[in-house]
Amino acid sequence: MMSIKKFQVTFDCAEPERLARFWCEVLGYVVPPPPEGFATWDEFDRALPTERQGSDFACIDPSGVGPRLYFQRVPEGKVVKNRLHLDVRVGTGLVGEERLATLEAECARLVALGAVRERLLAADGVDESTLVMQDIEGNEFCLD
């Protein structure tokens, strides 16, 4: 019998801490405590070699249910559409105008955090409405 494995989602990015804190706000995640022996993440970061400072950051689901999100600095910028994206499930179980109103309200909250609204994929009789968005570094995600 196969066991279910825990996993994390890793983002390549330019500014790990900034992007991690954005996703904390989106998902209700938190920054985990710093490593033992350090009072803050800033203190830990300053203890690293200069080239490693600010190179990664993470956030976690405070309930322990969702995957850990890990953000690592890479030298190149985003140039093409994501092959993988997150669906932020804010409208689960809702249909029609109620779903659309919920998606729009969450979209407005996330735009205030720096997200960009791309387009609405309107309900088509098979799938309910979904909003396609971008995070603060241009990574696509959906509100569904």
Side-chain angles (χ1 to χ4, degrees), residues 75-111:
E76 65 278 354
K78 182 180 178 306
V79 293
V80 297
K81 184 179 181 343
N82 303 9
R83 295 285 309 260
L84 172 77
H85 68 266
L86 301 182
D87 287 342
V88 180
R89 311 296 309 271
V90 298
T92 303
L94 303 176
V95 297
E97 292 302 316
E98 183 181 14
R99 179 182 176 90
L100 197 51
T102 299
L103 295 178
E104 293 291 353
E106 183 65 1
C107 177
R109 183 180 82 84
L110 300 183
V111 165

Side-chain angles (χ1 to χ4, degrees), residues 43-139:
E43 182 183 324
F44 172 76
D45 199 50
R46 286 190 304 271
L48 296 172
T50 305
E51 67 276 2
R52 289 272 340 266
Q53 292 177 3
S55 66
D56 61 351
F57 212 78
C59 58
I60 58 173
D61 178 354
S63 72
V65 175
R68 178 179 188 253
L69 302 182
Y70 178 73
F71 302 84
Q72 62 186 5
R73 185 174 57 216
V74 296
E76 65 278 354
K78 182 180 178 306
V79 293
V80 297
K81 184 179 181 343
N82 303 9
R83 295 285 309 260
L84 172 77
H85 68 266
L86 301 182
D87 287 342
V88 180
R89 311 296 309 271
V90 298
T92 303
L94 303 176
V95 297
E97 292 302 316
E98 183 181 14
R99 179 182 176 90
L100 197 51
T102 299
L103 295 178
E104 293 291 353
E106 183 65 1
C107 177
R109 183 180 82 84
L110 300 183
V111 165
L113 295 173
V116 174
R117 177 192 173 123
E118 276 193 15
R119 67 189 176 283
L120 173 67
L121 302 175
D124 60 11
V126 176
D127 294 314
E128 287 296 327
S129 297
T130 299
L131 274 170
V132 180
M133 302 192 65
Q134 291 181 9
D135 71 16
I136 59 175
E137 288 201 8
N139 301 302

